[in-house]
Amino acid sequence: MKIGKLKFNITLIIFSIFALQPLFSQQKINWEEDLDYLKNYLEIVHPALHAYVTEEAFDNHFNYIRDNCKTLDDVEIVTRIVELVAMIQDGHTGVAYDNKENEYIAGLIHKYPLLLYKFTDGLYAIWADNEYKEIVGKRLLRIGNFEADEALKQIMRLNNGDNEWGKIQYLPVIQEFLQYTGVLDKSSSLLKFVYEDENGNESYLEMDNPKSALDFYSPSRIFGLNDSAVTSMNDNSTRPLPLYLSHITKEYGGYTGEFYWYEYLPKKKTMYVNVSLCIHKDDDPFDAFYKRMFKEFDSLQAENLIVDIRLNGGGQHYEMPLIKGIIDRPHIDTEDNLSLIIGRRTISASEHFATQMEIYTNATIYGEPTSARPNMVGSNTWFTLPSSKLKCRTAQNYTQDSEYWDFRLMTKPDFYAQLSSEDYKNNLDPVLSRIFMYDSLVKVREELRLALQEGYNKGGIAGLKNAFNNHKSKCVEFGINFESFFLEDFWQWVNENKKEVADYMKYIKFVVDELPNSVLANYTYARVAHFRDKNEEAKKYYIKCLELHPAHSRAIKYFNLLKLHEGLDNEVTNYGY
């Protein structure tokens, strides 16, 4: 054989091997076996698999993957599995697609070197690789093919979570997920970001060749702080880190920082307690920690207690020593002296923590909504798919921490206090600032109450609406929780002082119009309409409630009662009570 021909044949063989490599890699995984195992395992172990996604919708998505897994490539199968599991709407159930122990699967996933964060004033990159530092701290206007808000919505499709706050708590930018959702063209890895520069002008930056999850570098702390490999939004702040981040160190990275710690604030006569993870320290068990904290609290004659669980990702249920200590000190168990801070990272055991604080204490709650439901599924367990070895997790227990009629998708604060981009850049904490202006917050809320009463007395529901519109912007500025105010507080005054029977229903309709995405508002209006025999109106808003909260068992029950009574020859007044 001639040397030239030999070289040609070797080259052809090598080319053929590389050309067929995707086919070989796809054939080595028995996806039918994995998919069947995944579905069966979830059906056996998950306590409420179809609470938030119908069995039909889940099965349709599953069957598409199952029926086409011989023609889909591995990365699209993994992506579709991630989306399938995200449809369950459960923060404890997910797919570890970037687990580096599984080199093949992690090698399929490619990440762009930045992390997104949703602030009150928009979507930002809170850190990025130094090569792309110009984008850090800039408000994003567009990502790939979509405006920033739509791109965020598409990213959230593949994020697991009990609610929207759970889905935005961590926002990596993954090439394959962006291609699947249409944010990025399938044939390209070149991702264009359009952002607003310091002068308010549009600029753009392009990123290409994202690294696989195997090679991707991420700072040891979620809030990238003084890491030489990346540029962070707050690198240039002249202020020290805010108190709640002051214990995030190399030893305690990620979201958490040191598991639990406290600090006395003498000028405010306040003990600040931070619980960032509900896991016992080996050298300082939780019970011992709280005994020591309360001993110091008493000796200093502290007047206020702040408990911060905004970055707490869960762990064990061990909050009762704290709650018992609060109950034993009635002088701090008041709305003005006891504060609880929650946030988008409050989930699992820390959501349990928040619910117990709500039930057993008089704490005023500050921050932003939690990423979990008060009544939730949790206690996740890990499992591995047999062929691909893709690691997954599922909730395995239902926990009813609140009343059975509590259908909240999250715990909301009494007073909102959320991070803006400027807060983060300058190491400011808007939550502590809001806590220390409690008297002003109460004053603004009472001004609203009196204005609404006066408006209604003078002009009925129209007068009430006008009064609200005049006070709305100031209330938003001070973080008033309108859902709580209107539906848990002020409704009683309207009901007791209504000029006409119809005014109460008009009032609830006003609340629904102001809070169209409130589960409680839509359900309450549907129920009022039901009792007023406005059946078509009731059905409309039961349906709206169920669009927001598919597992709202009371809305399901009463909607079906209305359907049952349709077409009867005789009228019935069976409202379900």
Side-chain angles (χ1 to χ4, degrees):
M1 182 181 290
K2 292 183 179 179
I3 298 297
K5 189 174 181 180
L6 177 62
K7 286 182 178 179
F8 173 80
N9 288 338
I10 292 173
T11 302
L12 180 62
I13 292 169
I14 292 172
F15 174 80
S16 300
I17 290 172
F18 280 103
L20 292 173
Q21 190 171 7
L23 181 61
F24 291 155
S25 66
Q26 184 155 333
Q27 287 180 339
K28 73 180 181 183
I29 295 176
N30 185 340
W31 282 114
E32 292 98 332
E33 179 184 44
D34 274 8
L35 285 160
D36 290 342
Y37 185 87
L38 171 69
K39 188 171 187 288
N40 289 331
Y41 194 95
L42 290 172
E43 288 174 343
I44 292 169
V45 178
H46 196 285
L49 184 60
H50 300 300
Y52 295 88
V53 58
T54 65
E55 186 172 359
E56 180 183 12
F58 186 85
D59 285 352
N60 285 343
H61 190 93
F62 172 84
N63 289 335
Y64 180 87
I65 311 172
R66 180 69 168 75
D67 293 343
N68 294 278
C69 61
K70 291 188 185 302
T71 56
L72 296 173
D73 59 29
D74 289 349
V75 70
E76 184 167 351
I77 293 173
V78 172
T79 301
R80 287 180 178 272
I81 288 173
V82 170
E83 184 181 33
L84 175 71
V85 174
M87 291 168 65
I88 299 169
Q89 308 264 10
D90 168 22
H92 288 83
T93 303
V95 179
Y97 52 80
D98 55 356
N99 176 21
K100 293 185 179 182
E101 294 177 3
N102 190 329
E103 293 186 3
Y104 175 69
I105 298 294
L108 297 174
I109 302 299
H110 295 81
K111 296 183 176 183
Y112 293 91
L114 77 165
L115 184 67
L116 304 183
Y117 195 89
K118 185 71 165 66
F119 293 101
T120 57
D121 50 335
L123 188 64
Y124 288 73
I126 62 170
W127 61 257
D129 188 275
N130 289 331
E131 180 182 355
Y132 303 109
K133 64 182 180 181
E134 67 186 83
I135 201 174
V136 174
K138 308 296 195 310
R139 187 168 72 91
L140 299 178
L141 304 177
R142 190 174 184 85
I143 302 175
N145 297 326
F146 294 139
E147 300 295 325
D149 286 345
E150 180 60 28
L152 175 61
K153 187 185 299 184
Q154 297 304 321
I155 291 171
M156 290 167 64
R157 273 176 55 189
L158 283 84
N159 281 2
N160 61 297
D162 285 22
N163 55 49
E164 62 186 283
W165 292 92
K167 291 175 181 285
I168 67 169
Q169 66 172 281
Y170 184 64
L171 296 170
V173 184
I174 297 173
Q175 175 190 340
E176 290 74 23
F177 293 2
L178 298 184
Q179 289 173 329
Y180 176 71
T181 57
V183 178
L184 184 63
D185 294 336
K186 289 187 180 296
S187 59
S188 176
S189 63
L190 184 66
L191 181 60
K192 182 177 179 179
F193 295 87
V194 179
Y195 62 88
E196 190 175 69
D197 67 18
E198 291 82 352
N199 300 316
N201 301 315
E202 287 190 13
S203 298
Y204 75 90
L205 177 144
E206 294 179 335
M207 292 186 184
D208 203 356
N209 300 316
K211 292 186 177 181
S212 77
L214 282 174
D215 304 318
F216 184 78
Y217 174 78
S218 181
S220 61
R221 299 172 291 282
I222 297 299
F223 299 106
L225 309 169
N226 299 319
D227 189 311
S228 61
V230 301
T231 300
S232 174
M233 278 179 66
N234 61 345
D235 280 349
N236 296 323
S237 175
T238 58
R239 293 184 177 91
L241 290 174
L243 184 59
Y244 76 101
L245 294 178
S246 62
H247 284 231
I248 294 182
T249 63
K250 289 183 179 180
E251 179 185 1
Y252 297 103
Y255 274 107
T256 61
E258 189 176 354
F259 293 175
Y260 38 84
W261 51 276
Y262 64 84
E263 184 171 326
Y264 183 62
L265 310 177
K267 291 182 179 179
K268 301 293 185 180
K269 296 184 178 180
T270 296
M271 185 68 79
Y272 171 86
V273 178
N274 188 297
V275 186
S276 288
L277 204 60
C278 294
I279 296 177
H280 287 285
K281 294 181 188 177
D282 292 338
D283 59 346
D284 189 14
F286 204 65
D287 290 3
F289 166 78
Y290 272 118
K291 287 179 183 177
R292 187 172 69 256
M293 184 277 292
F294 275 123
K295 183 177 180 180
E296 189 167 340
F297 182 97
D298 295 337
S299 67
L300 293 167
Q301 297 184 327
E303 297 177 0
N304 308 293
L305 177 64
I306 297 172
V307 180
D308 191 342
I309 56 173
R310 78 182 93 175
L311 296 182
N312 192 314
Q316 302 157 353
H317 294 182
Y318 65 10
E319 68 290 324
M320 288 314 295
L322 168 66
I323 292 176
K324 289 178 180 178
I326 291 170
I327 294 172
D328 284 343
R329 294 163 176 80
H331 63 289
I332 62 167
D333 189 14
T334 62
E335 293 181 356
D336 53 340
N337 291 334
L338 180 62
S339 305
L340 177 68
I341 301 175
I342 59 175
R344 70 186 69 178
R345 180 63 180 165
T346 306
I347 188 173
S348 194
S350 60
E351 174 65 41
H352 169 85
F353 196 135
T355 304
Q356 299 306 298
M357 287 283 286
E358 274 191 301
I359 293 172
Y360 294 112
T361 77
N362 295 302
T364 297
I365 303 178
Y366 299 84
E368 59 187 10
T370 64
S371 60
R373 300 179 283 266
N375 291 329
M376 61 181 160
V377 294
S379 304
N380 64 282
T381 182
W382 288 93
F383 64 101
T384 302
L385 303 189
S387 182
S388 66
K389 306 305 178 185
L390 180 61
K391 198 171 182 181
C392 306
R393 58 189 169 90
T394 177
Q396 58 176 326
N397 294 314
Y398 172 72
T399 303
Q400 185 176 305
D401 287 327
S402 188
E403 301 290 354
Y404 66 86
W405 61 78
D406 187 347
F407 295 104
R408 286 178 296 168
L409 293 170
M410 63 199 74
T411 299
K412 296 179 181 178
D414 298 306
F415 296 104
Y416 287 88
Q418 298 168 243
L419 270 176
S420 70
S421 61
E422 289 301 310
D423 290 330
Y424 187 72
K425 286 178 185 176
N426 295 293
N427 286 335
L428 298 174
D429 182 5
V431 189
L432 276 189
S433 299
R434 184 135 293 172
I435 289 173
F436 293 134
M437 56 186 292
Y438 174 82
D439 291 342
S440 297
L441 302 178
V442 172
K443 182 180 178 182
V444 170
R445 192 167 58 186
E446 289 308 304
E447 287 173 353
L448 175 63
R449 182 192 310 279
L450 294 173
L452 296 183
Q453 291 174 354
E454 182 179 358
Y456 178 76
N457 288 332
K458 290 182 177 180
I461 295 299
L464 183 148
K465 291 181 182 179
N466 288 334
F468 175 69
N469 289 332
N470 291 334
H471 285 75
K472 183 176 180 178
S473 60
K474 186 176 183 181
C475 290
V476 170
E477 178 187 347
F478 280 75
I480 306 298
N481 181 331
F482 291 131
E483 184 181 64
S484 173
F485 176 83
F486 284 128
L487 297 175
E488 298 175 15
D489 181 2
F490 194 69
W491 72 270
Q492 189 167 359
W493 184 89
V494 174
N495 192 43
E496 292 173 353
N497 294 275
K498 58 184 179 291
K499 297 177 181 180
E500 300 175 7
V501 173
D503 279 359
Y504 182 68
M505 185 169 174
K506 291 178 181 178
Y507 167 75
I508 300 299
K509 183 60 167 62
F510 150 72
V511 178
V512 172
D513 291 342
E514 283 294 328
L515 306 172
N517 294 318
S518 165
V519 173
L520 181 59
N522 282 279
Y523 172 75
T524 303
Y525 182 65
R527 198 69 182 124
V528 172
H530 194 166
F531 272 110
R532 302 291 188 273
D533 294 320
K534 309 285 187 183
N535 291 350
E536 291 305 312
E537 190 81 346
K539 284 193 292 185
K540 177 181 176 181
Y541 283 88
Y542 282 137
I543 290 171
K544 176 63 175 174
C545 173
L546 291 169
E547 288 172 351
L548 297 166
H549 191 332
H552 198 300
S553 59
R554 284 195 168 184
I556 295 170
K557 175 175 71 174
Y558 296 131
F559 176 78
N560 287 331
L561 275 177
L562 282 173
K563 298 288 287 184
L564 174 67
H565 295 155
E566 286 180 350
L568 292 179
D569 293 334
N570 299 302
E571 289 188 12
V572 294
T573 55
N574 300 324
Y575 299 116
Y577 280 172

